[in-house]
Amino acid sequence: MLRGKKKVFIFCNGCSRRSLDTSRLTDYFTVNNFNITTYPERADYIIFVTCALIYKEEQSFELIEKFSGCKGELIVMGCLPDMSHTPLREKFKGRFIETRNLNTIDAIFPNFKVKFSSISDGHILGDYFLNFNMKRNTFLRFFSHFALRKEFFSKCVRFFRKKLKKVQEINKETQEAYLRISNGCLERCAYCSIWKAVGEFRSKGIEECVSEYKELLQKGHRFIVFIADNLGPYGLDIGTDFRSLIEKLSVVDNGLHVRWRFEEMHPRWVIKYKDTLSRLIIEGKLTEMICGIQSGSNRMLKLMNRHHAIEEIIEALASFKKINPAFKLYTQVIVGFPSETEDDLFETIEALKKLRFESVYIFPYCDGVGSSASTMSDKISESIITERVNKAKVLLEKAGITIKFY
């Protein structure tokens, strides 16, 4: 390690999209001659990419307090600066950057030769780099305790290099490589305020997506995760659509055995692109999908400002399972949305049973800062929400469905 280099510690406690931002930030600092450290107390700068969901907000503030005790300057990024602006300014007096304004990091580092806009999007989750560095450092510290003969040490190094190369070759067949196709969200779901933090909907150009996809394939990746705040509306802002993108990418990987997972596919776009998705499942290319149905009650869906009927999405997702029973479906539901009744909850449970999801994330309803649902009447008490969450958990686990909580 060269002396005199500045050190930066980069950490994320958020979703996959923010973790990809973390990966891009890692590249940004690396090409600008910074050392990436896994020890925040040794860093000159601490970059904290935050989550502001109600379940993670408290953790974000706890970490801000801990990082503020280190010698380096703390810069807060992620969704917290937008979604919890007032509490953040009360508790943190340092600099922050909103998710929708990542390029403004150049103003903090004006002497960097390579600007953030020139850094390509991340493709491997940022936490992977942190974990890898941690393992590498542990490995080096272990060997530093032994006075090994030079010849023996050289043999050890060659052996582990061969092993590492082999593992890397295997991992690229199975490791999840991410292709982000857009940023921002067009939906305005009543419970959500994340769209304020991520900004207006912006699609990547098709050629940029194709170029990134080619690069992943050339590197040996064969399990590609398509990711966005909302995959379905891709292209609406640039005169194309999701189907056209899929067709272009399918030309690129012709003859290769690749697998795809679609993350964050809103039900109304699943319904719109049902035929395209069915074809991909028949081909064996699309093997997994995350589609958050949020509720099995049409009354709740209307109040949530979700533009689909539960019968439509059940029919579409059930048809995918019929094509390939091994097709993996994941979803999220909200329990305790304002005015929810026991009947609404029962309809949600029945919908989940019909669709045989691999796993279901249950979110107990909480008011999102500035969301339209936060001003609704007929709020459900926390005690009743907890009771209903537990009831849903028991009934769904009896049906063989794995339950998770964020």
Side-chain angles (χ1 to χ4, degrees):
M1 184 179 293
L2 296 176
R3 292 182 179 180
K5 279 190 176 183
K6 293 283 188 180
K7 299 184 183 69
V8 61
F9 173 81
I10 307 173
F11 185 76
C12 172
N13 72 332
C15 64
S16 298
R17 276 93 69 201
R18 301 293 73 77
S19 189
L20 290 178
D21 294 341
T22 305
S23 172
R24 189 178 175 196
L25 285 162
T26 300
D27 291 340
Y28 173 68
F29 282 98
T30 300
V31 299
N32 283 294
N33 210 33
F34 264 60
N35 279 324
I36 309 298
T37 179
T38 58
Y39 302 96
E41 66 275 11
R42 299 179 186 176
D44 298 289
Y45 292 94
I46 297 170
I47 308 295
F48 180 24
V49 183
T50 59
C51 181
L53 284 181
I54 196 70
Y55 315 101
K56 285 285 189 77
E57 185 184 78
E58 184 178 348
Q59 181 196 69
S60 291
F61 280 119
E62 288 176 356
L63 287 168
I64 286 172
E65 183 178 356
K66 289 180 180 179
F67 291 148
S68 295
C70 297
K71 68 171 185 177
E73 179 186 354
L74 172 61
I75 300 170
V76 174
M77 302 180 70
C79 293
L80 200 69
D82 260 318
M83 293 175 64
S84 300
H85 179 81
T86 300
L88 178 64
R89 299 317 294 149
E90 291 173 351
K91 299 178 181 181
F92 176 66
K93 305 304 179 184
R95 293 191 276 191
F96 61 85
I97 299 173
E98 302 92 342
T99 294
R100 55 191 167 84
N101 292 322
L102 291 182
N103 285 347
T104 61
I105 193 171
D106 289 330
I108 299 178
F109 301 96
N111 295 325
F112 277 12
K113 292 182 179 179
V114 182
K115 302 304 179 185
F116 190 74
S117 59
S118 300
I119 304 297
S120 61
D121 206 351
H123 297 293
I124 306 296
L125 296 188
D127 288 345
Y128 164 80
F129 294 104
L130 292 175
N131 291 336
F132 175 79
N133 286 333
M134 210 167 291
K135 288 174 184 175
R136 184 186 62 185
N137 290 337
T138 301
F139 173 79
L140 292 175
R141 286 198 301 272
F142 171 80
F143 270 98
S144 69
H145 289 296
F146 295 88
L148 297 174
R149 287 168 50 193
K150 184 176 180 181
E151 181 183 355
F152 177 67
F153 180 79
S154 297
K155 287 182 179 179
C156 287
V157 169
R158 288 194 297 272
F159 173 78
F160 280 109
R161 277 179 178 166
K162 288 180 180 178
K163 286 292 184 184
L164 180 59
K165 184 178 180 181
K166 188 174 182 180
V167 168
Q168 287 174 331
E169 289 171 352
I170 295 171
N171 283 347
K172 286 189 176 180
E173 292 285 340
T174 58
Q175 181 192 42
E176 298 173 351
Y178 286 73
L179 180 65
R180 177 155 41 185
I181 65 173
S182 67
N183 291 281
C185 187
L186 290 174
E187 316 298 336
R188 293 296 180 263
C189 301
Y191 50 82
C192 183
S193 56
I194 296 174
W195 60 272
K196 296 178 182 179
V198 298
E200 293 300 317
F201 183 75
R202 309 171 305 284
S203 299
K204 281 184 183 176
I206 280 190
E207 293 310 314
E208 184 178 359
C209 291
V210 168
S211 176
E212 291 183 23
Y213 188 60
K214 282 181 178 178
E215 183 180 348
L216 291 175
L217 295 178
Q218 287 167 358
K219 289 181 177 179
H221 293 289
R222 295 295 181 265
F223 185 19
I224 312 298
V225 181
F226 286 64
I227 192 168
D229 296 293
N230 186 359
L231 289 173
Y234 172 82
L236 290 185
D237 57 327
I238 57 173
T240 186
D241 60 19
F242 185 68
R243 182 182 291 110
S244 298
L245 174 64
I246 295 305
E247 290 172 354
K248 289 275 189 179
L249 297 178
S250 292
V251 171
V252 172
D253 64 29
N254 185 38
L256 299 176
H257 177 62
V258 297
R259 293 180 298 128
W260 290 354
R261 179 168 78 236
F262 288 169
E263 287 199 3
E264 305 308 330
M265 199 76 178
H266 187 293
R268 74 181 179 118
W269 300 102
V270 170
I271 295 163
K272 177 179 176 62
Y273 292 120
K274 177 187 169 185
D275 291 345
T276 298
L277 298 174
S278 296
R279 175 175 56 80
L280 293 172
I281 295 169
I282 290 170
E283 293 172 357
K285 180 175 286 186
L286 181 60
T287 59
E288 303 178 23
M289 184 167 65
I290 299 175
C291 174
I293 66 169
Q294 306 306 349
S295 177
S297 161
N298 282 324
R299 188 181 76 85
M300 286 289 97
L301 291 174
K302 187 174 181 180
L303 288 174
M304 290 177 177
N305 200 29
R306 304 280 285 179
H307 304 288
H308 67 278
I310 191 61
E311 293 81 8
E312 292 178 292
I313 193 60
I314 286 177
E315 190 278 329
L317 296 180
S319 71
F320 299 157
K321 280 286 191 178
K322 187 174 181 181
I323 292 170
N324 179 10
F327 181 65
K328 294 181 179 180
L329 281 171
Y330 307 88
T331 195
Q332 309 104 13
V333 294
I334 296 171
V335 172
F337 189 84
S339 84
E340 181 192 67
T341 65
E342 289 284 342
D343 286 342
D344 293 321
L345 177 64
F346 178 76
E347 288 181 37
T348 298
I349 292 170
E350 288 304 300
L352 294 172
K353 286 181 179 179
K354 287 178 183 177
L355 291 169
R356 294 179 290 126
F357 287 99
E358 291 292 316
S359 65
V360 175
Y361 271 94
I362 296 180
F363 289 81
Y365 173 80
C366 290
D367 285 336
V369 178
S371 68
S372 59
S374 65
T375 64
M376 289 181 177
S377 57
D378 298 326
K379 295 285 178 62
I380 310 298
S381 69
E382 287 188 20
S383 61
I384 292 178
I385 290 176
T386 300
E387 180 184 315
R388 289 181 181 175
V389 167
N390 290 333
K391 181 184 293 185
K393 180 177 183 295
V394 170
L395 293 174
L396 291 171
E397 285 182 341
K398 279 186 178 178
I401 298 173
T402 300
I403 303 302
K404 296 183 178 181
F405 297 93
Y406 194 75

